[in-house]
Amino acid sequence: MDPLFLAYSYFRRRKYQKCVDICTQLLEKNPYDQASWTLKTRALTGQVYVDEVDVDEEGIAEMLMDDNVIASVARPGTSLRGVKPGTGQGAPSQGVRPMSQSGRPLSGFVRPGTQSGRPGTMEQAIRTPRTAHTARPVTSASGRYVRLGTASMLSNADGPFINLARLNFNKYAARQNLAKALFEYIFHHENDVRNALELAALATESCQYKDWWWKVQLAKCYYRLGMYRDAEKQLKSALKQDEMVDSFLYLSKVYVRLDQPLTAVETYKSALEKFPGETSLLTGIARIYEGLNEMDNAVKFYKEVLHFDNMHVEAVACIGTHHFYTDQPEVALKFYRRLLQMGVFNAELYNNLGLCCFYAQQYDMTLTCFERALSLADDQTLGDIWFNIGHVALGIGDMNLAYQCFRMALASNNDHAEAYNNLGVLELRRGHIEQARAFFQAAFVLAPHMYEPHYNFAALADQLGDLQSSYNAAKRAVDAFANHTDSKDLLKQLKQHFSLL
């Protein structure tokens, strides 16, 4: 069998390492074999390729030094930053849906940016750990014509595959069959955005600005460099030449980074006119409405996603989460069981099934689901599962078990603010005032966006006669959650105290 044909077969089956090994052997025999060089370049790119439309995690620099903020206080419903709980449509009746530090409701489906908010200080940003992480087939034949390349295609065994410092970008930009593979290699594998931008600019000029693909690549480079308005211009120019779904998705992503969610929604809706029923566009609209805390609109679009793709895991999970936080655990249980039938098998799903069974009063299945969740949990999820088991223990009135579960949550995750708050409540019931105060303080230091520890600390300080501390804590609770009636009542009571004094 022809080795290049075998390498191409491995590439199509996504066995990239075997493809790279065969191409390396071919290049050792003939370093100027452009077909092998291009295929190896695409295989190396395929090993690290990530669809950047979905993956978008803000780093510390973007969060703390954002030059694109137009106003510090935006009009309600026009900004994804600083969304207050309870201000959107369809506010939950069962307590409050958990919020991130920025005020966004935690999604039912883990995506970059959904589990952590925008920190207000460098200390909070450093304390919050963050994780980060289709090439075209190359046709070949056994009797192919091998054309000679340039010396920049040569690679040393101990050095990099392509020496970017020796590349003549003008020559490669004029050869579209090599330029696109080389760009993806530089952008994704080498992560060298500036060289990728130079190649994309020269290639765009070489094709007389008529290739929409290069304009999208220019926009991707500008986006990586934080030049969002330049990225917007390139994407709009690309859409005038050829309307593609990816171009609309990238343009909406730019508007989200510019904190213009309503413009992003308009872009998605205009794309739906060209591509009706495209689930990626409908999902994008639902995510934005979820970020704006307009849960009714979000669920409406998630249901529309399921109309076109009834196996869409994110839509099923988010609808299930919405029903759970609107006092419908039985309905949420159906959606989570659907995920189980679809083959989703992880600790988070069994944890949610356990909570739904508990609130639906199906106690026989509750502990079974939590046991399965504990057996599948890793270090990141173990603390949350123990915390939820502690809530089940509180529901059945076993305070000792609840205390042990919250302790286990802290043993798994020492920064679990909710566990600190609940331990403070249990210590207060036992009459241990100082321990309760310490737990409440630890909770609101770790999670200043939570209103519960602020309110509990205010109530405790009021009992102890420390009116100034109680007033400050109650004010922080109202700021954290403006619609919390108990905090407002306590604040009014304390104001009366101060007026009497």
Side-chain angles (χ1 to χ4, degrees):
M1 183 182 293
D2 180 57
L4 188 61
F5 179 81
L6 181 60
Y8 175 51
S9 176
Y10 282 134
F11 177 80
R12 291 190 62 186
R13 287 179 283 163
R14 298 186 179 182
K15 297 182 179 180
Y16 297 122
Q17 189 56 49
K18 292 183 178 180
C19 176
V20 169
D21 294 339
I22 295 176
C23 291
T24 302
Q25 295 173 6
L26 293 174
L27 288 171
E28 287 176 355
K29 297 177 182 178
N30 183 6
Y32 300 106
D33 186 347
Q34 290 189 7
S36 301
W37 182 87
T38 305
L39 185 56
K40 182 177 178 180
T41 302
R42 292 190 179 278
L44 289 171
T45 304
Q47 289 179 338
V48 297
Y49 181 84
V50 176
D51 187 0
E52 294 200 343
V53 174
D54 274 342
V55 178
D56 185 19
E57 184 76 15
E58 290 182 325
I60 296 177
E62 289 85 354
M63 290 183 290
L64 299 181
M65 295 176 285
D66 193 347
D67 297 330
N68 299 286
V69 177
I70 299 176
S72 57
V73 181
R75 288 179 295 171
T78 63
S79 174
L80 290 168
R81 298 165 188 167
V83 178
K84 293 294 183 183
T87 57
Q89 301 174 4
S93 59
Q94 174 176 291
V96 179
R97 185 169 181 170
M99 297 285 169
S100 67
Q101 188 164 333
S102 64
R104 300 186 194 181
L106 293 186
S107 173
F109 187 84
V110 177
R111 300 185 299 268
T114 58
Q115 301 300 302
S116 56
R118 296 171 59 89
T121 64
M122 181 67 76
E123 179 186 354
Q124 294 171 6
I126 294 175
R127 187 170 60 228
T128 304
R130 293 175 174 268
T131 58
H133 240 145
T134 41
R136 295 185 183 178
V138 179
T139 58
S140 61
S142 58
R144 68 190 181 279
Y145 175 68
V146 180
R147 290 169 293 181
L148 296 180
T150 60
S152 60
M153 296 178 68
L154 294 172
S155 58
N156 299 322
D158 299 330
F161 169 55
I162 298 177
N163 190 350
L164 299 180
R166 298 177 60 185
L167 287 182
N168 184 351
F169 286 124
N170 287 296
K171 181 177 291 187
Y172 279 92
R175 309 176 69 175
Q176 295 292 314
N177 59 332
L178 297 177
K180 291 184 177 181
L182 179 60
F183 172 85
E184 290 187 337
Y185 174 83
I186 297 173
F187 187 81
H188 294 287
H189 189 275
E190 296 298 319
N191 199 23
D192 191 341
V193 182
R194 295 191 181 277
N195 277 327
L197 177 62
E198 181 182 354
L199 177 61
L202 292 172
T204 305
E205 185 178 354
S206 176
C207 64
Q208 300 178 352
Y209 307 96
K210 295 180 180 179
D211 192 339
W212 67 271
W213 190 87
W214 282 114
K215 293 183 178 181
V216 172
Q217 308 316 307
L218 276 172
K220 289 165 65 175
C221 294
Y222 285 136
Y223 184 89
R224 282 271 196 99
L225 295 173
M227 303 166 66
Y228 304 122
R229 289 302 179 185
D230 292 319
E232 178 190 5
K233 292 177 183 177
Q234 294 294 333
L235 289 168
K236 285 184 175 180
S237 178
L239 286 170
K240 288 179 181 178
Q241 291 182 346
D242 199 350
E243 294 176 335
M244 303 293 291
V245 175
D246 275 359
S247 301
F248 282 109
L249 292 174
Y250 272 111
L251 184 58
S252 300
K253 179 180 173 181
V254 170
Y255 286 131
V256 169
R257 180 54 65 90
L258 289 172
D259 196 24
Q260 297 179 12
L262 299 184
T263 308
V265 170
E266 291 176 4
T267 304
Y268 281 126
K269 290 183 177 179
S270 64
L272 283 171
E273 295 177 0
K274 310 290 191 306
F275 305 97
E278 176 60 42
T279 55
S280 59
L281 299 172
L282 294 169
T283 305
I285 298 176
R287 290 175 179 176
I288 291 178
Y289 280 130
E290 192 176 28
L292 291 172
N293 204 11
E294 297 183 10
M295 302 310 301
D296 288 343
N297 286 332
V299 170
K300 172 186 172 183
F301 279 96
Y302 278 130
K303 288 181 178 179
E304 196 167 346
V305 170
L306 292 181
H307 177 73
F308 294 100
D309 181 10
N310 56 11
M311 297 289 286
H312 199 280
V313 175
E314 179 179 351
V316 176
C318 291
I319 294 174
T321 303
H322 173 73
H323 283 298
F324 177 80
Y325 285 114
T326 50
D327 284 336
Q328 300 174 19
E330 297 87 355
V331 181
L333 187 60
K334 292 182 179 180
F335 282 95
Y336 288 128
R337 287 178 60 189
R338 170 65 176 164
L339 288 177
L340 203 60
Q341 293 170 351
M342 289 164 54
V344 180
F345 186 79
N346 54 34
E348 291 84 355
L349 178 57
Y350 279 104
N351 172 78
N352 293 350
L353 284 169
L355 287 174
C356 290
C357 290
F358 175 71
Y359 285 106
Q361 298 182 2
Q362 299 181 17
Y363 302 119
D364 55 334
M365 291 296 297
T366 301
L367 291 181
T368 303
C369 290
F370 278 119
E371 286 176 358
R372 184 65 64 88
L374 288 174
S375 65
L376 297 172
D378 54 16
D379 294 337
Q380 294 181 346
T381 58
L382 192 60
D384 289 329
I385 294 173
W386 278 116
F387 174 78
N388 289 328
I389 297 175
H391 260 292
V392 172
L394 287 176
I396 63 177
D398 192 340
M399 300 303 168
N400 291 327
L401 176 59
Y403 190 88
Q404 294 297 324
C405 290
F406 294 138
R407 281 290 190 181
M408 290 295 294
L410 291 181
S412 304
N413 179 11
N414 195 38
D415 292 337
H416 204 290
E418 292 87 351
Y420 278 114
N421 176 72
N422 288 10
L423 281 172
V425 174
L426 292 177
E427 291 287 2
L428 189 60
R429 283 192 172 190
R430 295 180 175 182
H432 301 159
I433 303 299
E434 293 303 321
Q435 290 91 329
R437 182 201 293 265
F439 281 130
F440 292 145
Q441 287 178 332
F444 65 67
V445 166
L446 288 171
H449 61 283
M450 289 174 51
Y451 74 92
E452 294 93 344
H454 292 299
Y455 172 74
N456 292 336
F457 185 84
L460 176 60
D462 186 31
Q463 291 180 8
L464 297 176
D466 189 353
L467 298 182
Q468 185 63 51
S469 298
S470 180
Y471 180 81
N472 294 335
K475 194 172 182 181
R476 290 195 300 269
V478 172
D479 291 338
F481 184 50
N483 292 344
H484 186 37
T485 308
D486 294 338
S487 296
K488 287 186 175 180
D489 293 342
L490 180 60
L491 197 59
K492 290 179 182 178
Q493 179 183 350
L494 291 169
K495 283 183 178 179
Q496 294 176 359
H497 276 297
F498 282 110
S499 62
L500 292 174
L501 292 174

